[in-house]
Structure formats: C-alpha cells, structure tokens
Amino acid sequence: PSVPLGHMWVRAGPMMGHPSEFTITIKGKGGHGSQPQVAVDPVLVAAHVIIALQSIVSRSVHPREQAVVSVTMVHGGEVANVIPDQVTITGTTR
C-alpha cells in the first residue's frame, strides 16, 4: 500500500531490521596455481566460511525469529593462475 503525500504510517513494535556491515579478511600464503600444495589457499577457506555464514540463519535461528545474513562481496587475487595471499569477504546482517 502506498502512503498519501504528506502522511506517514506508524505502528507499535519493531518494523524493519537495521543492517550491520561486516568484513572478514582471510590471510593465507599465496603461490603459483601449479603448486597448490606449497600454498595456504585463502580462497578455499573463504568458501568454507561463506557456507558456514549462510547456514547460521537456517540452523541457529528459531523459525519464528527473523534474521538475515548476506555475503555480498568476495575479493581475492588478480590473475587466474596465482593463489592469492588473502581474500576479503563482505556482507550484511539484519
């Protein structure tokens, strides 16, 4: 429903969740993609962290409660054949 110009609606109790932003930096040991065994791959770690974050709401929050965890950015590396030194994950919670 739209609110007529010059009017506003109010109600008792919570209406919307306030977002909070988070940033997680995962540091590893970069290396050449042909020798992953000598690197500590932060991309692999980031993938596991993202899966764990996405399961917080489905496994830890009661179905009648409201919560949102969104991973919205993943940054790591500059070229396809090099394992980066770090990966940054950014997102929001409500």
Side-chain angles (χ1 to χ4, degrees):
S2 62
V3 179
L5 185 62
H7 292 82
M8 65 179 196
W9 290 352
V10 296
R11 73 173 206 161
M15 243 172 111
M16 302 176 89
H18 174 73
S20 295
E21 188 174 301
F22 65 85
T23 300
I24 301 170
T25 301
I26 299 168
K27 296 183 179 184
K29 178 183 174 199
H32 196 274
S34 66
Q35 294 183 317
Q37 74 279 7
V38 297
V40 177
D41 190 351
V43 176
L44 179 61
V45 175
H48 285 278
V49 169
I50 291 168
I51 290 168
L53 288 170
Q54 294 299 317
S55 67
I56 289 172
V57 174
S58 65
R59 297 293 180 245
S60 301
V61 178
H62 192 279
R64 291 193 180 128
E65 296 293 322
Q66 295 180 1
V68 177
V69 177
S70 299
V71 175
T72 55
M73 288 192 296
V74 180
H75 293 281
E78 299 294 327
V79 293
N81 64 340
V82 176
I83 296 168
D85 287 327
Q86 70 179 32
V87 172
T88 303
I89 302 169
T90 305
T92 59
T93 61
R94 289 180 189 263

Coordinates of all heavy atoms in Angstrom, one line a residue:
P1 N 0.8 -1.2 0.0 CA 0.0 0.0 0.0 C 0.9 1.3 0.0 O 1.9 1.3 0.7 CB -0.8 -0.1 1.3 CG -0.2 -1.2 2.1 CD 0.7 -2.0 1.2
S2 N 0.4 2.2 -0.7 CA 1.2 3.5 -0.8 C 0.6 4.4 0.2 O -0.5 4.4 0.6 CB 1.2 4.1 -2.2 OG -0.2 4.4 -2.5
V3 N 1.5 5.3 0.7 CA 1.2 6.3 1.7 C 0.9 7.6 1.0 O 1.7 8.1 0.1 CB 2.3 6.5 2.7 CG1 1.9 7.6 3.8 CG2 2.6 5.2 3.4
P4 N -0.2 8.3 1.2 CA -0.5 9.5 0.5 C 0.5 10.6 0.9 O 1.1 10.6 1.9 CB -1.9 10.0 1.1 CG -2.5 8.7 1.7 CD -1.3 7.9 2.1
L5 N 0.8 11.4 -0.1 CA 1.8 12.5 0.1 C 1.4 13.4 1.3 O 0.3 13.7 1.5 CB 1.8 13.4 -1.2 CG 2.8 14.5 -1.2 CD1 4.2 13.9 -1.1 CD2 2.7 15.4 -2.4
G6 N 2.4 13.6 2.1 CA 2.2 14.4 3.3 C 1.8 13.6 4.5 O 1.5 14.2 5.6
H7 N 1.7 12.3 4.4 CA 1.2 11.4 5.5 C 2.3 10.4 5.8 O 3.2 10.1 4.9 CB -0.1 10.7 5.2 CG -1.2 11.6 5.1 ND1 -1.5 12.3 3.9 CD2 -2.2 11.9 6.0 CE1 -2.6 13.0 4.1 NE2 -3.1 12.8 5.4
M8 N 2.3 9.8 7.0 CA 3.1 8.7 7.3 C 2.4 7.7 8.1 O 1.4 8.0 8.8 CB 4.4 9.1 8.0 CG 4.2 9.7 9.3 SD 5.8 10.2 10.0 CE 5.4 10.3 11.7
W9 N 2.8 6.4 8.1 CA 2.2 5.4 8.9 C 3.2 5.0 10.0 O 4.4 5.0 9.8 CB 2.0 4.2 8.0 CG 0.8 4.3 7.0 CD1 0.0 5.4 6.9 CD2 0.5 3.4 6.0 NE1 -0.9 5.2 5.9 CE2 -0.6 4.0 5.3 CE3 1.0 2.2 5.6 CZ2 -1.2 3.4 4.2 CZ3 0.4 1.6 4.5 CH2 -0.7 2.2 3.8
V10 N 2.6 4.7 11.2 CA 3.4 4.2 12.3 C 2.7 3.0 12.9 O 1.5 2.8 12.7 CB 3.6 5.3 13.4 CG1 4.4 6.4 12.8 CG2 2.3 5.8 13.9
R11 N 3.5 2.2 13.6 CA 2.9 1.1 14.3 C 3.7 0.8 15.5 O 4.9 1.1 15.5 CB 2.7 -0.1 13.4 CG 3.9 -0.8 13.1 CD 3.7 -2.1 12.4 NE 4.8 -3.0 12.7 CZ 4.9 -4.2 12.6 NH1 3.8 -4.9 12.1 NH2 5.9 -4.9 12.8
A12 N 3.2 0.1 16.5 CA 3.9 -0.2 17.7 C 4.8 -1.4 17.4 O 4.5 -2.3 16.6 CB 2.9 -0.6 18.8
G13 N 6.0 -1.5 18.0 CA 6.9 -2.6 17.9 C 7.8 -2.5 16.7 O 7.8 -1.5 15.9
P14 N 8.7 -3.4 16.6 CA 9.7 -3.4 15.5 C 9.1 -3.5 14.1 O 8.1 -4.2 14.0 CB 10.7 -4.5 15.8 CG 9.9 -5.4 16.7 CD 8.9 -4.6 17.4
M15 N 9.6 -2.8 13.2 CA 9.1 -2.9 11.8 C 10.2 -3.4 10.8 O 9.8 -4.2 9.9 CB 8.7 -1.5 11.3 CG 7.2 -1.4 11.1 SD 6.7 0.3 10.8 CE 6.3 0.2 9.1
M16 N 11.4 -2.9 10.9 CA 12.4 -3.3 10.0 C 13.7 -3.5 10.7 O 13.9 -3.0 11.8 CB 12.6 -2.2 9.0 CG 11.4 -1.8 8.2 SD 11.6 -0.5 7.1 CE 12.2 -1.3 5.6
G17 N 14.5 -4.4 10.2 CA 15.8 -4.6 10.8 C 16.9 -3.6 10.3 O 16.9 -3.3 9.1
H18 N 17.7 -3.2 11.2 CA 18.8 -2.3 10.8 C 20.0 -3.1 10.3 O 20.4 -4.0 11.0 CB 19.2 -1.4 12.0 CG 20.4 -0.6 11.7 ND1 20.4 0.5 11.0 CD2 21.7 -0.7 12.1 CE1 21.6 1.1 10.9 NE2 22.4 0.3 11.6
P19 N 20.5 -2.8 9.1 CA 21.7 -3.6 8.6 C 23.0 -3.2 9.3 O 23.2 -2.1 9.7 CB 21.7 -3.2 7.2 CG 21.2 -1.8 7.1 CD 20.1 -1.8 8.2
S20 N 23.8 -4.2 9.5 CA 25.1 -4.0 10.0 C 26.1 -4.7 9.0 O 25.8 -5.8 8.6 CB 25.3 -4.7 11.4 OG 24.5 -4.1 12.3
E21 N 27.1 -4.0 8.6 CA 28.1 -4.5 7.6 C 29.2 -5.2 8.3 O 29.6 -4.8 9.4 CB 28.6 -3.3 6.8 CG 29.4 -3.8 5.6 CD 29.8 -2.6 4.7 OE1 28.9 -1.9 4.2 OE2 31.1 -2.4 4.5
F22 N 29.7 -6.3 7.7 CA 30.9 -7.0 8.2 C 31.9 -7.2 7.1 O 31.5 -7.3 6.0 CB 30.5 -8.3 8.9 CG 29.9 -9.3 7.9 CD1 30.8 -10.2 7.2 CD2 28.6 -9.5 7.8 CE1 30.3 -11.1 6.3 CE2 28.1 -10.4 6.9 CZ 28.9 -11.2 6.2
T23 N 33.1 -7.2 7.5 CA 34.2 -7.6 6.6 C 35.1 -8.6 7.3 O 35.5 -8.4 8.4 CB 35.0 -6.3 6.2 OG1 34.2 -5.4 5.6 CG2 36.2 -6.6 5.3
I24 N 35.4 -9.6 6.6 CA 36.3 -10.7 7.1 C 37.5 -10.8 6.1 O 37.3 -11.0 4.9 CB 35.6 -12.0 7.2 CG1 34.3 -12.0 8.1 CG2 36.5 -13.1 7.6 CD1 33.4 -13.2 8.0
T25 N 38.7 -10.7 6.7 CA 39.9 -10.9 5.8 C 40.5 -12.2 6.2 O 40.9 -12.4 7.4 CB 40.8 -9.7 6.0 OG1 40.2 -8.5 5.7 CG2 42.1 -9.8 5.2
I26 N 40.7 -13.0 5.3 CA 41.3 -14.3 5.5 C 42.7 -14.3 4.8 O 42.9 -14.0 3.6 CB 40.5 -15.5 4.8 CG1 39.1 -15.5 5.5 CG2 41.2 -16.8 5.0 CD1 38.1 -16.3 4.8
K27 N 43.7 -14.5 5.7 CA 45.1 -14.4 5.2 C 45.7 -15.8 5.1 O 45.5 -16.6 6.0 CB 46.0 -13.6 6.1 CG 45.5 -12.1 6.2 CD 46.4 -11.3 7.1 CE 45.8 -9.8 7.0 NZ 46.7 -8.9 7.8
G28 N 46.3 -16.1 3.9 CA 46.9 -17.4 3.7 C 48.3 -17.2 3.2 O 49.0 -16.2 3.6
K29 N 48.8 -18.1 2.4 CA 50.1 -18.0 1.8 C 50.0 -18.2 0.4 O 49.6 -19.4 -0.1 CB 51.1 -19.0 2.5 CG 52.5 -19.0 1.9 CD 53.3 -20.1 2.5 CE 54.7 -20.1 1.8 NZ 55.3 -21.4 2.0
G30 N 50.1 -17.2 -0.4 CA 49.9 -17.3 -1.9 C 51.0 -18.2 -2.5 O 52.0 -18.5 -1.9
G31 N 50.7 -18.5 -3.8 CA 51.7 -19.3 -4.5 C 51.2 -19.5 -6.0 O 50.1 -19.0 -6.3
H32 N 51.9 -20.2 -6.7 CA 51.5 -20.5 -8.1 C 50.5 -21.5 -8.2 O 50.5 -22.5 -7.4 CB 52.8 -20.9 -8.9 CG 52.5 -20.8 -10.4 ND1 51.9 -21.8 -11.1 CD2 52.7 -19.8 -11.3 CE1 51.8 -21.4 -12.4 NE2 52.3 -20.2 -12.5
G33 N 49.5 -21.4 -9.1 CA 48.4 -22.3 -9.2 C 48.9 -23.7 -9.5 O 48.1 -24.7 -9.3
S34 N 50.1 -23.9 -10.1 CA 50.6 -25.2 -10.4 C 51.1 -26.0 -9.2 O 51.4 -27.2 -9.3 CB 51.7 -25.1 -11.5 OG 52.8 -24.5 -11.0
Q35 N 51.3 -25.3 -8.1 CA 51.8 -25.9 -6.9 C 51.0 -25.5 -5.6 O 51.5 -24.9 -4.7 CB 53.3 -25.5 -6.7 CG 54.2 -26.0 -7.7 CD 55.7 -25.6 -7.4 OE1 55.9 -24.4 -7.0 NE2 56.6 -26.5 -7.6
P36 N 49.7 -25.9 -5.6 CA 48.9 -25.5 -4.5 C 49.3 -26.2 -3.2 O 49.0 -25.7 -2.1 CB 47.5 -26.0 -4.9 CG 47.8 -27.1 -5.9 CD 49.0 -26.7 -6.6
Q37 N 50.1 -27.2 -3.3 CA 50.5 -27.9 -2.0 C 51.5 -27.1 -1.2 O 51.6 -27.4 0.0 CB 51.1 -29.3 -2.4 CG 52.5 -29.3 -3.0 CD 52.5 -29.0 -4.5 OE1 51.5 -28.7 -5.1 NE2 53.7 -29.1 -5.1
V38 N 52.1 -26.1 -1.8 CA 53.0 -25.2 -1.0 C 52.4 -23.9 -0.6 O 53.0 -23.1 0.1 CB 54.3 -25.0 -1.8 CG1 55.1 -26.3 -2.0 CG2 54.1 -24.2 -3.1
A39 N 51.1 -23.7 -0.9 CA 50.4 -22.5 -0.5 C 49.4 -22.9 0.6 O 49.1 -24.0 0.8 CB 49.6 -22.0 -1.8
V40 N 48.9 -21.8 1.2 CA 47.8 -21.9 2.1 C 46.7 -21.1 1.5 O 46.7 -19.9 1.5 CB 48.1 -21.4 3.5 CG1 46.9 -21.5 4.4 CG2 49.3 -22.2 4.1
D41 N 45.7 -21.8 0.8 CA 44.8 -21.2 -0.1 C 43.6 -20.5 0.7 O 42.7 -21.1 1.2 CB 44.2 -22.3 -1.0 CG 43.4 -21.7 -2.1 OD1 43.1 -20.5 -2.1 OD2 43.0 -22.5 -3.0
P42 N 43.6 -19.1 0.7 CA 42.6 -18.4 1.4 C 41.2 -18.5 0.6 O 40.2 -18.2 1.2 CB 43.1 -17.0 1.5 CG 44.0 -16.9 0.3 CD 44.6 -18.2 0.1
V43 N 41.3 -18.8 -0.7 CA 40.0 -19.0 -1.4 C 39.2 -20.2 -0.9 O 38.0 -20.1 -0.7 CB 40.3 -19.1 -2.9 CG1 39.1 -19.3 -3.7 CG2 41.1 -17.8 -3.5
L44 N 39.9 -21.3 -0.7 CA 39.3 -22.4 -0.2 C 38.7 -22.2 1.2 O 37.5 -22.5 1.5 CB 40.2 -23.6 -0.1 CG 39.7 -24.9 0.4 CD1 38.5 -25.4 -0.4 CD2 40.8 -26.0 0.5
V45 N 39.5 -21.5 2.1 CA 39.0 -21.2 3.4 C 37.8 -20.2 3.3 O 36.8 -20.4 4.0 CB 40.1 -20.5 4.2 CG1 39.6 -20.0 5.6 CG2 41.3 -21.5 4.4
A46 N 37.8 -19.2 2.4 CA 36.7 -18.3 2.2 C 35.4 -19.0 1.8 O 34.4 -18.7 2.3 CB 37.1 -17.2 1.2
A47 N 35.6 -20.0 0.9 CA 34.4 -20.8 0.5 C 33.8 -21.5 1.7 O 32.5 -21.5 1.8 CB 34.9 -21.8 -0.5
H48 N 34.6 -22.1 2.6 CA 34.0 -22.7 3.8 C 33.4 -21.7 4.7 O 32.3 -22.0 5.3 CB 35.1 -23.5 4.5 CG 35.5 -24.8 3.8 ND1 34.8 -26.0 3.9 CD2 36.5 -25.1 2.9 CE1 35.3 -26.9 3.2 NE2 36.4 -26.4 2.6
V49 N 34.0 -20.6 4.9 CA 33.4 -19.5 5.7 C 32.1 -19.1 5.2 O 31.1 -18.9 5.9 CB 34.4 -18.3 5.9 CG1 33.7 -17.2 6.5 CG2 35.6 -18.8 6.7
I50 N 32.0 -18.9 3.9 CA 30.7 -18.4 3.3 C 29.6 -19.5 3.5 O 28.5 -19.1 3.9 CB 30.9 -18.2 1.8 CG1 31.8 -16.9 1.6 CG2 29.6 -18.0 1.1 CD1 32.3 -16.7 0.2
I51 N 29.9 -20.7 3.3 CA 28.9 -21.8 3.6 C 28.5 -21.8 5.0 O 27.3 -21.9 5.4 CB 29.5 -23.2 3.2 CG1 29.6 -23.3 1.7 CG2 28.6 -24.3 3.7 CD1 30.4 -24.4 1.2
A52 N 29.5 -21.6 6.0 CA 29.1 -21.6 7.4 C 28.2 -20.3 7.7 O 27.3 -20.4 8.5 CB 30.4 -21.5 8.2
L53 N 28.6 -19.2 7.1 CA 27.8 -18.0 7.4 C 26.3 -18.2 6.8 O 25.4 -17.7 7.5 CB 28.4 -16.7 6.7 CG 29.7 -16.2 7.3 CD1 30.3 -15.2 6.4 CD2 29.4 -15.6 8.7
Q54 N 26.2 -18.8 5.7 CA 24.9 -19.0 5.1 C 24.0 -19.9 5.9 O 22.8 -19.9 5.8 CB 25.0 -19.4 3.6 CG 25.6 -18.4 2.7 CD 24.8 -17.1 2.7 OE1 23.5 -17.1 2.6 NE2 25.4 -16.0 2.7
S55 N 24.7 -20.8 6.7 CA 23.9 -21.7 7.5 C 23.5 -21.2 8.9 O 22.8 -21.9 9.6 CB 24.7 -23.1 7.6 OG 25.8 -22.9 8.3
I56 N 24.0 -20.0 9.3 CA 23.7 -19.5 10.6 C 22.2 -19.4 10.8 O 21.6 -19.9 11.7 CB 24.4 -18.1 10.8 CG1 25.9 -18.3 11.0 CG2 23.8 -17.4 12.0 CD1 26.7 -17.0 11.0
V57 N 21.5 -18.7 9.8 CA 20.1 -18.5 9.9 C 19.3 -19.8 9.9 O 18.4 -20.0 10.7 CB 19.6 -17.5 8.9 CG1 18.1 -17.3 8.9 CG2 20.3 -16.1 9.1
S58 N 19.6 -20.7 9.0 CA 18.9 -21.9 8.8 C 19.1 -22.9 9.9 O 18.2 -23.7 10.2 CB 19.2 -22.6 7.5 OG 20.5 -23.0 7.5
R59 N 20.2 -22.8 10.6 CA 20.4 -23.8 11.7 C 20.5 -23.3 13.1 O 20.5 -24.0 14.0 CB 21.8 -24.5 11.4 CG 21.7 -25.3 10.1 CD 20.8 -26.5 10.2 NE 20.7 -27.2 9.0 CZ 19.7 -27.3 8.2 NH1 18.5 -26.7 8.5 NH2 19.7 -28.0 7.1
S60 N 20.6 -21.9 13.2 CA 20.8 -21.4 14.6 C 19.7 -20.4 15.0 O 19.6 -20.0 16.2 CB 22.1 -20.6 14.6 OG 23.2 -21.5 14.3
V61 N 18.8 -20.0 14.1 CA 17.8 -19.0 14.5 C 16.4 -19.8 14.4 O 16.1 -20.5 13.5 CB 17.8 -17.8 13.5 CG1 16.7 -16.9 13.8 CG2 19.1 -17.1 13.5
H62 N 15.6 -19.6 15.5 CA 14.3 -20.2 15.5 C 13.5 -19.7 14.3 O 13.5 -18.6 14.0 CB 13.6 -19.8 16.9 CG 12.4 -20.6 17.1 ND1 11.2 -20.3 16.6 CD2 12.2 -21.7 17.9 CE1 10.3 -21.2 17.0 NE2 10.9 -22.0 17.8
P63 N 12.7 -20.6 13.8 CA 11.9 -20.2 12.6 C 10.9 -19.0 12.8 O 10.6 -18.4 11.8 CB 11.1 -21.5 12.3 CG 11.8 -22.6 12.9 CD 12.5 -22.0 14.1
R64 N 10.5 -18.8 14.0 CA 9.7 -17.6 14.3 C 10.4 -16.3 14.5 O 9.8 -15.3 14.5 CB 8.8 -17.9 15.5 CG 7.8 -19.0 15.2 CD 6.7 -19.1 16.3 NE 5.8 -20.1 16.0 CZ 5.5 -21.1 16.8 NH1 6.0 -21.1 18.0 NH2 4.6 -22.0 16.5
E65 N 11.7 -16.4 14.5 CA 12.6 -15.2 14.6 C 13.0 -14.8 13.2 O 13.0 -15.6 12.3 CB 13.8 -15.5 15.5 CG 13.5 -15.9 16.9 CD 12.9 -14.7 17.7 OE1 13.3 -13.5 17.5 OE2 12.0 -14.9 18.5
Q66 N 13.4 -13.5 13.1 CA 13.8 -13.0 11.8 C 15.3 -12.7 11.9 O 15.8 -12.1 12.8 CB 13.0 -11.7 11.5 CG 11.5 -12.0 11.3 CD 10.8 -10.7 10.9 OE1 11.4 -9.7 10.8 NE2 9.5 -10.9 10.7
A67 N 16.0 -13.1 10.9 CA 17.4 -12.8 10.7 C 17.8 -13.0 9.3 O 17.3 -13.8 8.6 CB 18.2 -13.8 11.6
V68 N 18.8 -12.2 8.9 CA 19.3 -12.3 7.5 C 20.8 -12.1 7.6 O 21.3 -11.2 8.2 CB 18.7 -11.2 6.6 CG1 19.4 -11.3 5.2 CG2 17.2 -11.3 6.5
V69 N 21.5 -13.0 7.0 CA 23.0 -12.9 6.8 C 23.2 -13.0 5.3 O 22.9 -14.0 4.7 CB 23.8 -14.0 7.5 CG1 25.3 -13.9 7.2 CG2 23.5 -14.0 9.0
S70 N 23.8 -12.0 4.7 CA 24.1 -11.9 3.3 C 25.6 -11.7 3.0 O 26.1 -10.7 3.5 CB 23.3 -10.8 2.6 OG 21.9 -11.0 2.8
V71 N 26.2 -12.6 2.3 CA 27.5 -12.4 1.8 C 27.4 -11.7 0.5 O 26.8 -12.4 -0.4 CB 28.4 -13.7 1.8 CG1 29.7 -13.4 1.2 CG2 28.5 -14.3 3.2
T72 N 27.9 -10.5 0.3 CA 27.6 -9.8 -0.9 C 28.8 -9.5 -1.8 O 28.7 -9.1 -2.9 CB 26.9 -8.5 -0.6 OG1 27.7 -7.7 0.4 CG2 25.5 -8.7 0.0
M73 N 30.0 -9.6 -1.2 CA 31.3 -9.4 -2.0 C 32.3 -10.4 -1.5 O 32.5 -10.6 -0.3 CB 31.8 -8.0 -1.7 CG 31.0 -6.9 -2.4 SD 31.8 -5.3 -2.4 CE 32.0 -4.9 -0.7
V74 N 33.1 -10.9 -2.5 CA 34.3 -11.7 -2.3 C 35.4 -11.2 -3.2 O 35.2 -11.1 -4.4 CB 34.0 -13.2 -2.6 CG1 35.2 -14.0 -2.3 CG2 32.8 -13.7 -1.8
H75 N 36.5 -10.8 -2.6 CA 37.6 -10.3 -3.4 C 38.9 -11.1 -3.0 O 39.2 -11.2 -1.8 CB 37.9 -8.8 -3.1 CG 36.8 -7.9 -3.6 ND1 36.6 -7.5 -4.9 CD2 35.7 -7.4 -2.9 CE1 35.6 -6.8 -5.0 NE2 35.0 -6.6 -3.8
G76 N 39.6 -11.5 -4.1 CA 40.8 -12.2 -3.8 C 41.5 -12.5 -5.1 O 40.9 -12.9 -6.1
G77 N 42.8 -12.2 -5.2 CA 43.6 -12.5 -6.4 C 43.4 -11.4 -7.5 O 42.5 -10.6 -7.5
E78 N 44.4 -11.5 -8.4 CA 44.4 -10.6 -9.5 C 44.5 -11.4 -10.9 O 44.1 -10.8 -11.9 CB 45.6 -9.6 -9.4 CG 45.5 -8.7 -8.2 CD 44.3 -7.8 -8.2 OE1 43.9 -7.3 -9.3 OE2 43.8 -7.5 -7.1
V79 N 45.1 -12.6 -10.8 CA 45.2 -13.4 -12.1 C 44.8 -14.8 -11.8 O 44.8 -15.3 -10.7 CB 46.7 -13.3 -12.6 CG1 47.1 -12.0 -13.0 CG2 47.7 -13.8 -11.5
A80 N 44.5 -15.5 -12.9 CA 43.8 -16.8 -12.8 C 44.8 -17.9 -12.3 O 44.3 -18.9 -11.7 CB 43.2 -17.2 -14.1
N81 N 46.1 -17.8 -12.5 CA 47.0 -18.9 -12.2 C 47.8 -18.7 -10.9 O 48.8 -19.4 -10.7 CB 47.9 -19.2 -13.4 CG 48.8 -18.1 -13.7 OD1 48.6 -16.9 -13.3 ND2 49.9 -18.4 -14.4
V82 N 47.4 -17.7 -10.1 CA 48.1 -17.5 -8.8 C 47.1 -17.5 -7.7 O 46.1 -16.9 -7.7 CB 48.8 -16.1 -8.9 CG1 49.4 -15.8 -7.5 CG2 49.8 -16.0 -10.0
I83 N 47.5 -18.3 -6.6 CA 46.7 -18.4 -5.4 C 47.1 -17.1 -4.6 O 48.2 -16.8 -4.4 CB 47.1 -19.6 -4.6 CG1 46.7 -20.9 -5.4 CG2 46.4 -19.6 -3.2 CD1 47.3 -22.2 -4.8
P84 N 46.0 -16.3 -4.2 CA 46.3 -15.0 -3.6 C 46.8 -15.2 -2.1 O 46.6 -16.3 -1.5 CB 45.0 -14.3 -3.6 CG 44.0 -15.4 -3.6 CD 44.6 -16.6 -4.4
D85 N 47.3 -14.1 -1.6 CA 47.7 -14.1 -0.2 C 46.6 -13.9 0.8 O 46.6 -14.4 1.9 CB 48.7 -13.0 0.1 CG 50.1 -13.3 -0.5 OD1 50.5 -14.5 -0.5 OD2 50.8 -12.4 -0.9
Q86 N 45.5 -13.3 0.3 CA 44.3 -13.0 1.1 C 43.1 -12.9 0.3 O 43.1 -12.6 -0.9 CB 44.5 -11.8 2.0 CG 44.5 -10.5 1.3 CD 44.7 -9.3 2.3 OE1 45.4 -9.5 3.3 NE2 44.1 -8.2 2.0
V87 N 42.0 -13.1 1.0 CA 40.6 -13.0 0.4 C 39.8 -12.1 1.4 O 39.9 -12.3 2.6 CB 39.9 -14.3 0.2 CG1 38.5 -14.1 -0.2 CG2 40.7 -15.1 -0.9
T88 N 39.0 -11.2 0.9 CA 38.2 -10.4 1.8 C 36.7 -10.7 1.4 O 36.3 -10.8 0.3 CB 38.4 -8.9 1.5 OG1 39.8 -8.6 1.8 CG2 37.5 -8.0 2.4
I89 N 35.9 -11.0 2.5 CA 34.5 -11.3 2.4 C 33.8 -10.1 3.0 O 34.1 -9.8 4.2 CB 34.1 -12.6 3.1 CG1 34.9 -13.8 2.5 CG2 32.6 -12.9 3.0 CD1 34.8 -15.0 3.3
T90 N 32.8 -9.6 2.4 CA 32.0 -8.5 2.9 C 30.5 -8.9 2.8 O 30.1 -9.5 1.9 CB 32.3 -7.2 2.2 OG1 33.7 -6.9 2.2 CG2 31.5 -6.0 2.9
G91 N 29.7 -8.4 3.8 CA 28.3 -8.7 3.7 C 27.5 -7.8 4.8 O 28.1 -6.9 5.4
T92 N 26.3 -8.2 5.0 CA 25.4 -7.5 5.9 C 24.7 -8.6 6.8 O 24.5 -9.7 6.4 CB 24.4 -6.6 5.2 OG1 23.6 -7.4 4.4 CG2 25.1 -5.5 4.5
T93 N 24.3 -8.1 7.9 CA 23.4 -8.9 8.8 C 22.2 -8.0 9.2 O 22.3 -6.7 9.2 CB 24.1 -9.3 10.1 OG1 24.5 -8.2 10.8 CG2 25.3 -10.2 9.8
R94 N 21.1 -8.6 9.4 CA 19.9 -7.9 9.9 C 19.3 -8.7 11.0 O 19.2 -9.9 10.9 CB 18.9 -7.6 8.8 CG 19.3 -6.6 7.8 CD 18.2 -6.5 6.7 NE 18.7 -5.7 5.6 CZ 18.5 -4.3 5.5 NH1 17.8 -3.7 6.4 NH2 19.0 -3.7 4.5

